[in-house]
Coordinates of all heavy atoms in Angstrom, one line a residue:
G530 N 160.4 135.0 95.7 CA 160.1 133.6 96.0 C 159.1 133.5 97.1 O 158.2 132.8 97.1
R531 N 159.5 134.3 98.2 CA 158.6 134.3 99.4 C 157.2 134.8 99.1 O 156.2 134.2 99.5 CB 159.3 135.2 100.4 CG 158.6 135.0 101.8 CD 159.4 135.8 102.8 NE 158.7 135.7 104.1 CZ 159.4 135.6 105.3 NH1 160.7 135.7 105.3 NH2 158.7 135.4 106.4
M532 N 157.1 135.8 98.3 CA 155.7 136.3 97.9 C 154.9 135.2 97.2 O 153.8 135.0 97.4 CB 155.8 137.6 97.0 CG 156.2 138.8 97.9 SD 154.9 139.3 99.0 CE 154.0 140.4 98.0
A533 N 155.6 134.6 96.2 CA 155.0 133.5 95.4 C 154.5 132.4 96.4 O 153.3 131.9 96.2 CB 155.9 132.9 94.4
G534 N 155.3 132.1 97.4 CA 154.9 131.0 98.3 C 153.7 131.5 99.1 O 152.7 130.7 99.3
M535 N 153.6 132.7 99.5 CA 152.5 133.2 100.3 C 151.2 133.2 99.4 O 150.2 132.8 99.8 CB 152.7 134.7 100.7 CG 153.5 134.7 102.0 SD 153.9 136.4 102.5 CE 152.3 136.9 103.1
N536 N 151.4 133.6 98.1 CA 150.3 133.5 97.2 C 149.8 132.1 97.0 O 148.6 131.9 97.0 CB 150.7 134.1 95.8 CG 150.7 135.6 95.8 OD1 150.2 136.3 96.7 ND2 151.3 136.2 94.8
G537 N 150.7 131.2 96.9 CA 150.4 129.8 96.8 C 149.6 129.3 98.0 O 148.5 128.7 97.9
D538 N 150.0 129.7 99.2 CA 149.3 129.3 100.4 C 147.9 129.9 100.4 O 146.9 129.3 100.7 CB 150.1 129.9 101.7 CG 151.4 129.1 101.9 OD1 151.5 128.0 101.3 OD2 152.2 129.5 102.7
R539 N 147.9 131.2 100.0 CA 146.6 131.9 100.0 C 145.6 131.2 99.0 O 144.4 131.0 99.3 CB 146.8 133.4 99.5 CG 145.6 134.2 99.9 CD 145.8 135.7 99.4 NE 146.5 136.4 100.4 CZ 147.1 137.6 100.2 NH1 147.2 138.1 98.9 NH2 147.7 138.2 101.1
K540 N 146.2 130.8 97.9 CA 145.4 130.1 96.9 C 144.8 128.8 97.5 O 143.6 128.5 97.4 CB 146.2 129.7 95.7 CG 145.6 130.0 94.3 CD 146.4 129.6 93.2 CE 146.2 130.6 92.0 NZ 147.2 130.3 90.9
G541 N 145.6 128.1 98.2 CA 145.2 126.8 98.8 C 144.1 127.1 99.8 O 143.1 126.4 99.9
K542 N 144.2 128.1 100.6 CA 143.2 128.5 101.6 C 141.9 128.9 100.9 O 140.8 128.5 101.3 CB 143.7 129.7 102.5 CG 144.4 129.3 103.7 CD 144.7 130.4 104.7 CE 145.4 129.9 105.9 NZ 146.0 131.1 106.7
K543 N 142.1 129.6 99.8 CA 140.9 130.0 99.0 C 140.1 128.8 98.5 O 138.9 128.8 98.6 CB 141.3 130.9 97.8 CG 140.2 131.8 97.3 CD 140.7 132.8 96.3 CE 139.7 133.9 96.0 NZ 140.1 134.8 94.9
D544 N 140.8 127.8 98.1 CA 140.2 126.6 97.6 C 139.4 125.9 98.8 O 138.3 125.5 98.6 CB 141.2 125.6 97.1 CG 141.8 126.0 95.7 OD1 141.1 126.9 95.1 OD2 142.8 125.5 95.2
D545 N 140.1 125.8 99.9 CA 139.4 125.3 101.1 C 138.2 126.0 101.4 O 137.1 125.5 101.7 CB 140.4 125.3 102.3 CG 141.5 124.2 102.2 OD1 141.3 123.3 101.4 OD2 142.5 124.3 103.0
N546 N 138.3 127.4 101.4 CA 137.1 128.2 101.7 C 136.0 127.9 100.7 O 134.8 127.8 101.0 CB 137.5 129.7 101.6 CG 137.9 130.3 103.0 OD1 137.9 129.5 104.0 ND2 138.3 131.5 103.0
G547 N 136.4 127.8 99.4 CA 135.4 127.5 98.4 C 134.7 126.2 98.7 O 133.5 126.1 98.6
I548 N 135.4 125.1 99.1 CA 134.8 123.8 99.4 C 133.9 124.0 100.6 O 132.8 123.6 100.6 CB 135.9 122.8 99.7 CG1 136.7 122.4 98.4 CG2 135.3 121.5 100.4 CD1 138.0 121.8 98.7
G549 N 134.4 124.8 101.6 CA 133.6 125.0 102.8 C 132.3 125.8 102.5 O 131.2 125.4 102.9
T550 N 132.5 126.8 101.6 CA 131.3 127.6 101.1 C 130.3 126.7 100.4 O 129.1 126.7 100.6 CB 131.8 128.7 100.2 OG1 132.7 129.5 100.9 CG2 130.6 129.6 99.8
A551 N 130.9 125.8 99.6 CA 130.0 124.9 98.8 C 129.2 124.0 99.7 O 128.0 123.8 99.5 CB 130.9 124.0 97.8
I552 N 129.9 123.5 100.8 CA 129.3 122.6 101.7 C 128.2 123.4 102.5 O 127.1 122.9 102.6 CB 130.3 122.0 102.7 CG1 131.2 120.9 102.0 CG2 129.6 121.3 103.9 CD1 132.4 120.6 102.7
D553 N 128.5 124.6 102.9 CA 127.6 125.4 103.6 C 126.4 125.7 102.7 O 125.2 125.6 103.1 CB 128.2 126.8 104.0 CG 129.1 126.7 105.2 OD1 129.0 125.7 105.9 OD2 129.9 127.6 105.4
F554 N 126.6 126.0 101.4 CA 125.6 126.3 100.4 C 124.7 125.1 100.3 O 123.5 125.2 100.3 CB 126.3 126.6 99.1 CG 125.3 127.0 98.0 CD1 124.6 128.2 98.1 CD2 125.0 126.1 97.0 CE1 123.7 128.6 97.1 CE2 124.1 126.5 96.0 CZ 123.4 127.7 96.1
M555 N 125.3 123.9 100.2 CA 124.6 122.6 100.0 C 123.7 122.4 101.3 O 122.5 122.0 101.1 CB 125.5 121.5 99.8 CG 126.0 121.3 98.3 SD 127.3 120.2 98.1 CE 126.5 118.6 98.5
L556 N 124.3 122.6 102.4 CA 123.6 122.4 103.7 C 122.4 123.3 103.8 O 121.3 122.9 104.2 CB 124.5 122.5 104.9 CG 125.5 121.4 105.2 CD1 126.5 121.7 106.2 CD2 124.7 120.1 105.6
S557 N 122.6 124.6 103.5 CA 121.6 125.6 103.6 C 120.5 125.3 102.6 O 119.3 125.4 102.8 CB 122.1 127.0 103.4 OG 122.6 127.1 102.1
N558 N 120.9 124.8 101.4 CA 120.0 124.4 100.3 C 119.2 123.2 100.8 O 118.0 123.1 100.5 CB 120.7 124.1 99.0 CG 120.8 125.4 98.2 OD1 120.6 126.5 98.6 ND2 121.1 125.2 96.9
A559 N 119.9 122.2 101.4 CA 119.2 121.0 101.9 C 118.1 121.4 102.9 O 117.0 120.9 102.8 CB 120.2 120.1 102.6
K560 N 118.4 122.4 103.8 CA 117.4 122.9 104.8 C 116.2 123.5 104.0 O 115.1 123.2 104.3 CB 118.0 124.0 105.7 CG 118.8 123.3 106.8 CD 119.4 124.4 107.7 CE 120.4 123.9 108.7 NZ 121.2 125.0 109.4
L561 N 116.6 124.3 103.0 CA 115.5 124.9 102.1 C 114.7 123.9 101.4 O 113.5 123.9 101.5 CB 116.2 125.9 101.1 CG 115.2 126.8 100.3 CD1 114.9 128.0 101.1 CD2 115.9 127.2 99.0
V562 N 115.4 122.9 100.8 CA 114.7 121.8 100.1 C 113.8 121.1 101.1 O 112.6 120.8 100.8 CB 115.7 120.9 99.4 CG1 115.0 119.6 98.9 CG2 116.3 121.6 98.2
L563 N 114.3 120.7 102.2 CA 113.6 120.0 103.2 C 112.4 120.8 103.7 O 111.3 120.3 103.9 CB 114.5 119.6 104.4 CG 115.4 118.4 104.2 CD1 116.4 118.3 105.4 CD2 114.6 117.1 104.0
G564 N 112.6 122.1 103.9 CA 111.6 123.0 104.4 C 110.4 123.1 103.3 O 109.3 122.9 103.7
V565 N 110.8 123.3 102.1 CA 109.8 123.4 101.0 C 109.2 122.0 100.8 O 107.9 122.0 100.7 CB 110.5 123.9 99.7 CG1 109.6 123.7 98.5 CG2 111.0 125.3 99.8
G566 N 110.0 121.0 100.8 CA 109.4 119.6 100.7 C 108.5 119.3 101.8 O 107.4 118.8 101.6
G567 N 108.8 119.7 103.0 CA 108.0 119.5 104.2 C 106.7 120.2 104.1 O 105.6 119.7 104.3
A568 N 106.7 121.5 103.6 CA 105.6 122.3 103.4 C 104.7 121.7 102.3 O 103.5 121.6 102.5 CB 106.0 123.7 103.0
A569 N 105.3 121.2 101.3 CA 104.6 120.6 100.1 C 103.9 119.3 100.6 O 102.7 119.1 100.4 CB 105.5 120.3 99.0
M570 N 104.6 118.5 101.4 CA 104.1 117.3 101.9 C 102.9 117.6 102.8 O 101.8 116.9 102.8 CB 105.1 116.5 102.7 CG 106.2 115.9 101.9 SD 105.6 114.4 101.0 CE 105.6 113.2 102.3
L571 N 103.0 118.6 103.7 CA 102.0 119.0 104.6 C 100.7 119.4 103.8 O 99.6 119.0 104.1 CB 102.4 120.2 105.4 CG 101.9 120.2 106.9 CD1 103.1 120.0 107.8 CD2 101.2 121.5 107.2
G572 N 101.0 120.2 102.7 CA 99.9 120.7 101.8 C 99.2 119.5 101.2 O 98.0 119.4 101.2
I573 N 100.0 118.6 100.6 CA 99.5 117.4 100.0 C 98.7 116.6 100.9 O 97.6 116.1 100.6 CB 100.6 116.6 99.3 CG1 101.2 117.4 98.1 CG2 100.1 115.2 98.9 CD1 102.5 116.9 97.7
A574 N 99.2 116.4 102.2 CA 98.5 115.6 103.2 C 97.2 116.2 103.5 O 96.2 115.6 103.7 CB 99.4 115.5 104.4
T575 N 97.2 117.6 103.7 CA 96.0 118.3 104.0 C 94.9 118.1 102.9 O 93.8 117.8 103.2 CB 96.3 119.8 104.2 OG1 97.3 120.0 105.2 CG2 95.1 120.6 104.6
L576 N 95.4 118.2 101.7 CA 94.5 118.0 100.5 C 94.0 116.6 100.5 O 92.8 116.4 100.3 CB 95.3 118.3 99.2 CG 95.3 119.8 98.8 CD1 96.3 119.9 97.6 CD2 93.9 120.3 98.4
A577 N 94.9 115.7 100.7 CA 94.5 114.2 100.8 C 93.4 114.0 101.8 O 92.4 113.3 101.6 CB 95.7 113.4 101.0
V578 N 93.6 114.6 103.0 CA 92.7 114.4 104.1 C 91.3 115.0 103.7 O 90.3 114.4 104.0 CB 93.2 115.0 105.4 CG1 92.2 115.2 106.5 CG2 94.4 114.2 105.9
K579 N 91.4 116.2 103.1 CA 90.2 116.9 102.7 C 89.4 116.0 101.7 O 88.2 115.8 101.8 CB 90.5 118.2 102.1 CG 90.6 119.4 103.1 CD 90.8 120.7 102.4 CE 91.0 121.8 103.4 NZ 91.3 123.1 102.7
R580 N 90.2 115.5 100.7 CA 89.6 114.6 99.7 C 89.0 113.4 100.3 O 87.8 113.0 100.0 CB 90.7 114.2 98.7 CG 91.1 115.2 97.6 CD 90.2 115.1 96.4 NE 90.4 116.2 95.5 CZ 91.3 116.3 94.6 NH1 92.2 115.3 94.5 NH2 91.4 117.4 93.8
V581 N 89.7 112.7 101.2 CA 89.2 111.5 101.8 C 88.0 111.8 102.6 O 87.0 111.1 102.5 CB 90.3 110.9 102.7 CG1 89.8 109.8 103.6 CG2 91.5 110.4 101.9
S582 N 88.0 112.9 103.4 CA 86.8 113.3 104.2 C 85.6 113.6 103.3 O 84.5 113.2 103.6 CB 87.1 114.5 105.1 OG 87.5 115.6 104.4
E583 N 85.9 114.2 102.2 CA 84.8 114.5 101.2 C 84.3 113.2 100.7 O 83.1 113.0 100.6 CB 85.4 115.4 100.1 CG 85.4 116.9 100.4 CD 86.1 117.7 99.3 OE1 86.1 117.2 98.1 OE2 86.5 118.8 99.6
M584 N 85.2 112.3 100.3 CA 84.8 111.0 99.8 C 83.9 110.2 100.8 O 82.9 109.7 100.5 CB 86.0 110.2 99.4 CG 86.6 110.5 98.0 SD 88.1 109.7 97.7 CE 87.7 108.0 97.7
I585 N 84.4 110.3 102.1 CA 83.7 109.6 103.1 C 82.3 110.2 103.3 O 81.3 109.4 103.4 CB 84.5 109.6 104.4 CG1 85.8 108.7 104.3 CG2 83.6 109.2 105.6 CD1 86.8 109.0 105.4
S586 N 82.2 111.5 103.3 CA 80.9 112.2 103.5 C 80.0 111.8 102.3 O 78.8 111.6 102.5 CB 81.1 113.7 103.6 OG 81.7 114.2 102.5
V587 N 80.6 111.8 101.1 CA 79.8 111.4 99.9 C 79.3 110.0 100.0 O 78.2 109.7 99.7 CB 80.7 111.6 98.6 CG1 80.1 110.9 97.4 CG2 80.9 113.1 98.3
C588 N 80.2 109.1 100.5 CA 79.8 107.7 100.6 C 78.7 107.6 101.7 O 77.8 106.9 101.4 CB 81.1 106.9 101.1 SG 82.2 106.5 99.8
H589 N 78.8 108.3 102.8 CA 77.8 108.3 103.8 C 76.5 108.8 103.2 O 75.5 108.2 103.5 CB 78.2 109.2 105.0 CG 79.1 108.5 105.9 ND1 78.9 107.3 106.4 CD2 80.3 108.9 106.5 CE1 79.9 107.0 107.3 NE2 80.7 107.9 107.3
C590 N 76.6 109.8 102.4 CA 75.4 110.4 101.7 C 74.7 109.3 100.8 O 73.5 109.1 100.9 CB 75.7 111.6 100.9 SG 75.9 113.1 101.9
S591 N 75.6 108.7 100.0 CA 75.1 107.6 99.1 C 74.5 106.5 99.9 O 73.4 106.0 99.5 CB 76.1 107.2 98.1 OG 77.2 106.6 98.8
V592 N 75.1 106.1 101.0 CA 74.7 105.0 101.8 C 73.3 105.4 102.4 O 72.3 104.7 102.4 CB 75.7 104.6 102.9 CG1 75.1 103.8 104.0 CG2 76.9 104.0 102.3
Y593 N 73.2 106.6 102.9 CA 72.0 107.2 103.5 C 70.9 107.1 102.5 O 69.8 106.7 102.8 CB 72.3 108.6 104.0 CG 71.1 109.3 104.6 CD1 70.6 108.9 105.9 CD2 70.4 110.3 103.9 CE1 69.5 109.5 106.4 CE2 69.3 110.9 104.5 CZ 68.8 110.5 105.7 OH 67.7 111.1 106.3
L594 N 71.2 107.6 101.2 CA 70.2 107.6 100.2 C 69.7 106.2 99.8 O 68.5 106.0 99.7 CB 70.8 108.3 98.9 CG 71.0 109.8 99.0 CD1 71.8 110.4 97.8 CD2 69.6 110.5 99.0
T595 N 70.6 105.3 99.7 CA 70.2 103.9 99.4 C 69.4 103.3 100.5 O 68.4 102.6 100.2 CB 71.5 103.0 99.1 OG1 72.4 103.1 100.2 CG2 72.2 103.4 97.9
H596 N 69.7 103.6 101.8 CA 68.9 103.1 102.9 C 67.5 103.7 102.9 O 66.6 103.0 103.1 CB 69.6 103.5 104.2 CG 70.6 102.4 104.6 ND1 70.3 101.2 105.1 CD2 72.0 102.4 104.6 CE1 71.4 100.5 105.3 NE2 72.4 101.2 105.0
V597 N 67.5 105.0 102.5 CA 66.2 105.7 102.4 C 65.5 105.3 101.1 O 64.5 104.6 101.1 CB 66.3 107.2 102.5 CG1 65.0 107.9 102.1 CG2 66.8 107.7 103.8

């Protein structure tokens, strides 16, 4: 009976550990997702800025051409 009780306690602890591990996993994944998302956002922002600057330079060129 005593061994069964210990096993039962151990099972309960294992479940708690599983939940803790799941939370840790989710948190570490959240960091990973945020990191990747942040990097992606940075890349997209950089591309957007490049595109906008290209568009502005093109507009300046067209304006210059029309003026000339």
Side-chain angles (χ1 to χ4, degrees):
R531 190 173 179 144
M532 283 295 269
M535 277 177 76
N536 280 350
D538 287 345
R539 195 180 277 160
K540 226 182 212 172
K542 266 188 182 166
K543 204 172 188 182
D544 285 345
D545 285 346
N546 268 359
I548 290 161
T550 303
I552 289 165
D553 284 343
F554 184 73
M555 278 169 68
L556 283 173
S557 62
N558 269 17
K560 278 181 194 169
L561 188 81
V562 167
L563 282 172
V565 171
M570 286 288 283
L571 215 116
I573 290 162
T575 305
L576 275 173
V578 167
K579 274 186 184 174
R580 280 272 170 85
V581 168
S582 62
E583 275 173 25
M584 277 172 65
I585 288 166
S586 61
V587 165
C588 283
H589 277 312
C590 281
S591 61
V592 166
Y593 178 73
L594 284 171
T595 53
H596 274 287
V597 167

